Structures are given as C-alpha cells and as structure tokens.
Amino acid sequence: MAALLALAPPALAQQKTLRIAMTAADVPTTTGMPNNGFEGMRFLGYPSFEGLVLWDLSRADQPAALRPGLAESWSQDPADPKTWIFRLREGVKFHDGTPFSADSVIWNLDRFFKTDSPQFEPAGSGITRSRIPIMASYRKIDDRTVAMTTTRVASYFPYMAVYILFISPNSFEQGGRDWSRVAMLPPAGTGPFRLSRFTARVSAELTKNEGYWDPARVPKLDRVLLLPIPEANSRLAALRSGQVDWIEVPPPDAIPSLRQANFNVVTNSYPHVWPWFFQMGGAATPFRDPRVRQALNYCVDRAGLVQLLNGTAEPSVGWLKPSDPHFGSPQNRYGFDPAKGKALLAEAGFTAQRPLSFKVLISASGSGQMLPLPMNEYMQQNLKEACGVNVAFEVTEWNTLLTAMRSGPDAGILNGAASVNPSSPSSDPAVAARYFLQAFVPPNGFNWGQWNDPEFEAAFGALENATTPAAYDAAYARAHERLVDNPPWLFIVHDLNPRAMSCRVRGFVSAQSWFQDLVTVDLQ
C-alpha cells in the first residue's frame, strides 16, 4: 500500500492535491472514453473530456438534469423528429490550444461510429455505441452547427448525447495515429481538468485547466490524484492513515467510527439500482416463466440487507423508486413475503423436492458495485433460508463482467450463469431503452436478459414520440409498471452513494447522479 501511494513528487506538497481512492481495480483507460463503467466517466471522463451536453451536478436536493456543454443549445428538427440539431459553443479550445469546432465533432463521431475511419478506436467505440445504440448518421451543417440523426424517434436523445466525449484530433496526430501511444501523451480534452499523466494500475493525475472556457468554473484544486484501490478495507486504511483524502464506498461497519474520528461521510439518494439480471434467452434458464422472476422479488429481505449496509442503501421494488412520479401503479408491490414467493415458485414447478437452482456472475469490485461480495453472500443465504433457492456464484473482474453483458445468453464467458449482477443507473428513459427494449439485446445494447414485453414496447414507443410533458409522463409510468409486473431483474436495493472524506475536503456537493463535480471541491 505504501508503495502504491508514494507517488506524488515533493512539489505537490505545496499545491492543493486531492487524493481519491476509487473502487476500480485499474486506472480507467486514458484515450478520452474511459472504461471501468461510470466510475471511469466520473473521474477520468467528465473532468477532462466533455460532451455537447453535460449533467448539471450543482444541486444535492433533486436528481441531476442536463445543461449545455460544448453545445450551447439543441433541438429536434421540426421537419424530421429523428434529427437533432446542436449549436456549438464559440471560443472553446482543447487543452493543446487547438480550437473545438464542428470539424472536431465530426472527427470524434467518426472515431466512434465509422469503422473505416483512420481514427477509429475499437475500445472507445464499443463503449460509446453501447450507450448510444440508435445513432444512424451525422453531418456538419456549418462551422458552429452539427446534426445527428437516430434510427428511431427518441425524445430522450440528449440523455444519450451526454455520453459522447471529445478529444483533440491533434492528439491523435501527436501520438503517431496509434491509440496506445495517444494514451501515453495523454490526449487533450476541453474539461476543467487536464489529464496530465498516468501509470497503469497505479494512478492518474489531473491538473487544473487555467484556461477553461467557463471562467466561473476554473477548479479550486491544483491537482487530483486518482488511485485504484478495489478492496474496501484497504481504501479505509488509506483514509485513516492520511494517504488519501477521499474514498469511494467505505465499509458500512466503519461509518460510525469514521464519523467519531471527524471524517465526513456523505450519502444521498441517486438513480442507482443494484439488481440481478435474469436471462430469458438461454438454453437452460429457469427465468422464462414470469412467476419465477416475481417469486424471487418476494423472497428478498431487502430491509435486512439495508441493515447489513448500515443504512447506506434503500430497498428497491422497481427500476425507479416508489417516490418517483414515473413509478406508476403496478399490480405487484414487492416486499419480504416468503410464503408468496414459495407459492409462485411451486406454481412454476419448483418445490422443496425440486428446488430452483442457478448461478450468478458477479464481480469482486467495480463501478457502482457497492460491496458485491458480502451483499451477494447475504443474498445467497437469504434466498436459501426464505424460499429454498440454491444460488451459486461465478466471481470475475468488473470489466470481464461488462464484456459478458455484451455476450449472448450461452456464451462461454458466462460459465453457465443465468444471471448477472452489474449495477445500473436509472436516471432517464435513455438508459431504460438500452436495458429493456427488444431492439437492444446484445450486441446492440444492454438487454442482456433478452426480455421482451409487448406492453412495455408500446408504452415506450409512446414515450419516444411524446410531444407534451403529460404524454411523456403517462407513457413512462405505463412502461415502468411493466418493469415491475413482468420483472426482467431481481430488484434488490438502491445505493445511497456513500463516500468518506477528510475534514480538509470542502465545497463538495453530493449530486443525485452517478457523476460528481470536482470543480467546486477545495482543500483546507
């Protein structure tokens, strides 16, 4: 641990350097489209590489909305609702001093979506296409305007555009048109921090961008040092010893003592679901019968898991929270009801003599995964004791699990698993489209379970074509009712986004988002 953290040169001691311990097992990739899920986007994505559309992370009292980024405005083309027009911001420069323009937008879109372009990057393309699976075409209108056309009408497209990040085309040239060399530069973005250096599996360093295009958002910190420390107790030890200033996901049982020792432990509601995905397309899956999926949702003692997590989560009984205006009025309101769960399992043919048995692919750590090993051990024991269900686990690395989620139902990488345990954002319908529409089964999206519900498809189609808030809200609620009543997932808990910080860390706003704003953070 000491060797891992003894990284900063002595000069950094005179500067404001925030040291963050991530849950990731490795430094996210540095070519401008980071891997390691949304933790990679949180720390190596948005701080350095921005999109046309950005998240508004300025408030803690409401879910994060969208705000203008490298585009100052956007709108649907009134003549073609599949086309969105983005008006670009003037005066923006990349960290290398080259101008941001419509040409650089098209260059980056070709990087992700045009496989025969010289700058095509397979790894970044795979991540971006999985988040924007409906891109059909794009074009430059003039130096300040670009158009993007989707494969279907999508009222939520700006919520997808937020995941397209932009780097300087000059970085590609400086790296000899070789992405492995570009990663070592590292490349230039437009964000309030510039990625200044990194050491694989050890650290990445961000430096204040003094020339940021929004003078009101020049960071207060001089540097941010990002450290991958996947094991929760190792992160805790690093915080207690003063080797880091901020840790993601502290061990729940350590929270009371952290507070007593004057550390700040921050939690907040945010759009995060920690589920198991059910596979409905595999050769030997038990989950084609909706009664089995409903049964398991009645077998989970969510309150007990929340207690295990020391109150850093809340029960999940749907993709959205019951307090969300789009939750709807589903027929099923899941609670801990083993009798009902066992009755549904019996109707589906699973009894004490023929118990339900299946394997779940899980990770040891990773983006948004909370504490997957103790949580899954709890689930295994809970389901066995409550409903006689036998669960086995296949433990893998987080990025391997993400790869498995882009694979078919009987792929070898699953090693017989009929369920997977990633975490999911639930921030907007663009995410729901990728996870639940039949059009987005792998490799087109994240409907790994091959779920297909005609009523959901009809409701979601109405949402996509909605032109008024009332029509949008009603369609969203109908769609969510189907997610509850014909559940594609085992809904377990919503994370409350815990992180622990030294009392020296000031100015942090815990946004109701997977992403957080480092610009406002200061060190006393």
Side-chain angles (χ1 to χ4, degrees):
M1 177 62 67
L4 177 69
L5 296 170
L7 301 165
L12 295 190
Q14 280 72 50
Q15 298 183 328
K16 292 181 179 179
T17 301
L18 177 71
R19 300 158 300 168
I20 298 177
M22 304 179 292
T23 70
D26 195 359
V27 178
T29 47
T30 56
T31 53
M33 179 46 66
N35 64 2
N36 276 281
F38 276 0
E39 188 173 49
M41 289 289 281
R42 180 186 305 141
F43 291 125
L44 269 186
Y46 292 125
S48 295
F49 306 98
E50 299 176 301
L52 301 179
V53 184
L54 296 175
W55 292 101
D56 182 352
L57 305 173
S58 63
R59 299 181 60 168
D61 61 345
Q62 64 184 31
L66 300 181
R67 67 177 177 89
L70 298 177
E72 60 185 17
S73 64
W74 55 86
S75 60
Q76 273 180 298
D77 185 341
D80 177 12
K82 291 183 179 179
T83 296
W84 288 79
I85 308 298
F86 294 86
R87 186 72 170 163
L88 306 185
R89 191 177 298 278
E90 287 189 288
V92 177
K93 291 187 177 181
F94 289 103
H95 298 148
D96 59 12
T98 58
F100 172 79
S101 65
D103 289 331
S104 56
V105 170
I106 299 302
W107 186 94
N108 275 273
L109 293 174
D110 283 349
R111 167 195 174 195
F112 296 131
F113 295 102
K114 188 178 180 184
T115 56
D116 61 351
S117 67
Q119 67 269 32
F120 180 69
E121 185 201 4
S125 173
I127 295 169
T128 304
R129 289 185 186 210
S130 70
R131 294 172 179 161
I132 305 97
I134 61 174
M135 183 74 80
S137 63
Y138 43 85
R139 60 189 173 91
K140 172 183 174 181
I141 295 177
D142 58 43
D143 288 344
R144 287 193 58 207
T145 316
V146 295
M148 299 184 198
T149 300
T150 56
T151 58
R152 56 200 294 149
V153 177
S155 58
Y156 49 75
F157 182 67
Y159 285 97
M160 286 187 171
V162 79
Y163 299 117
I164 306 172
L165 303 186
F166 295 90
I167 74 162
S168 168
N170 185 57
S171 291
F172 187 62
E173 300 299 327
Q174 293 294 313
R177 297 191 166 202
D178 179 340
W179 282 111
S180 64
R181 292 173 59 190
V182 174
M184 299 300 295
L185 291 173
T190 62
F193 291 90
R194 66 178 68 215
L195 179 56
S196 49
R197 64 177 182 171
F198 85 103
T199 303
R201 295 196 176 277
V202 177
S203 68
E205 182 184 282
L206 308 179
T207 307
K208 177 194 298 191
N209 177 14
E210 296 277 10
Y212 185 55
W213 55 264
D214 183 352
R217 285 186 45 77
V218 173
K220 295 179 172 61
L221 297 166
D222 296 302
R223 283 177 166 80
V224 177
L225 190 65
L226 301 171
L227 302 161
I229 306 180
E231 206 279 313
N233 285 319
S234 297
R235 292 194 299 275
L236 177 66
L239 181 66
R240 288 190 185 280
S241 65
Q243 294 176 305
V244 299
D245 309 292
W246 163 329
I247 65 173
E248 297 287 283
V249 197
D253 57 1
I255 288 175
S257 62
L258 282 171
R259 287 181 167 140
Q260 289 172 2
N262 204 31
F263 290 98
N264 293 323
V265 179
V266 183
T267 62
N268 198 6
S269 174
Y270 86 121
H272 176 287
V273 188
W274 194 87
W276 289 356
F277 292 14
F278 296 128
Q279 177 56 255
M280 285 146 276
T285 179
F287 298 126
R288 290 194 183 92
D289 191 327
R291 293 172 297 186
V292 175
R293 293 177 267 129
Q294 290 172 345
L296 289 176
N297 272 288
Y298 282 111
C299 289
V300 179
D301 182 3
R302 298 169 177 86
L305 183 54
V306 169
Q307 184 176 10
L308 173 71
L309 295 170
N310 215 342
T312 59
E314 55 189 325
S316 171
V317 293
W319 190 65
L320 299 173
K321 300 178 183 182
S323 59
D324 192 292
H326 300 121
F327 187 86
S329 300
Q331 296 175 14
N332 290 272
R333 286 299 292 262
Y334 300 118
F336 186 38
D337 191 342
K340 188 165 187 175
K342 286 190 282 190
L344 285 165
L345 286 174
E347 289 178 22
F350 296 103
T351 63
Q353 293 72 38
R354 183 178 176 263
L356 173 64
S357 302
F358 61 94
K359 182 189 287 187
V360 186
L361 185 69
I362 68 174
S363 67
S365 183
S367 171
Q369 288 306 89
M370 305 176 70
L371 297 170
L373 296 181
M375 291 170 71
N376 278 303
E377 288 170 359
Y378 171 92
M379 290 292 297
Q380 184 181 50
Q381 182 177 350
N382 167 200
L383 292 175
K384 178 66 174 178
E385 292 178 353
C387 292
V389 175
N390 298 319
V391 177
F393 294 124
E394 180 79 13
V395 184
T396 190
E397 194 269 333
W398 170 238
N399 283 312
T400 302
L401 188 144
L402 289 182
T403 300
M405 285 179 56
R406 302 185 188 112
S407 306
D410 296 310
I413 194 172
L414 295 167
N415 198 21
S419 179
V420 294
N421 169 229
S423 53
S424 165
S426 54
S427 53
D428 56 83
V431 178
R434 303 198 321 263
Y435 279 105
F436 304 121
L437 287 175
Q438 181 64 19
F440 301 124
V441 299
N444 298 325
F446 282 115
N447 186 356
W448 174 81
Q450 316 260 331
W451 187 67
N452 187 8
D453 184 295
E455 293 181 51
F456 175 86
E457 298 275 333
F460 209 84
L463 181 156
E464 291 180 313
N465 287 274
T467 56
T468 66
Y472 174 97
D473 291 343
Y476 200 174
R478 290 198 306 274
H480 188 263
E481 288 166 1
R482 295 305 303 157
L483 291 176
V484 176
D485 288 333
N486 184 20
W489 296 356
L490 177 53
F491 302 112
I492 303 171
V493 291
H494 300 289
D495 190 8
L496 290 183
N497 208 14
R499 44 181 56 93
M501 303 174 183
S502 161
C503 61
R504 296 178 59 235
V505 179
R506 302 296 176 90
F508 173 66
V509 176
S510 183
Q512 292 189 33
S513 171
W514 280 68
F515 313 108
Q516 301 296 327
D517 188 4
L518 298 180
V519 165
T520 63
V521 177
D522 202 354
L523 280 174
Q524 188 180 46

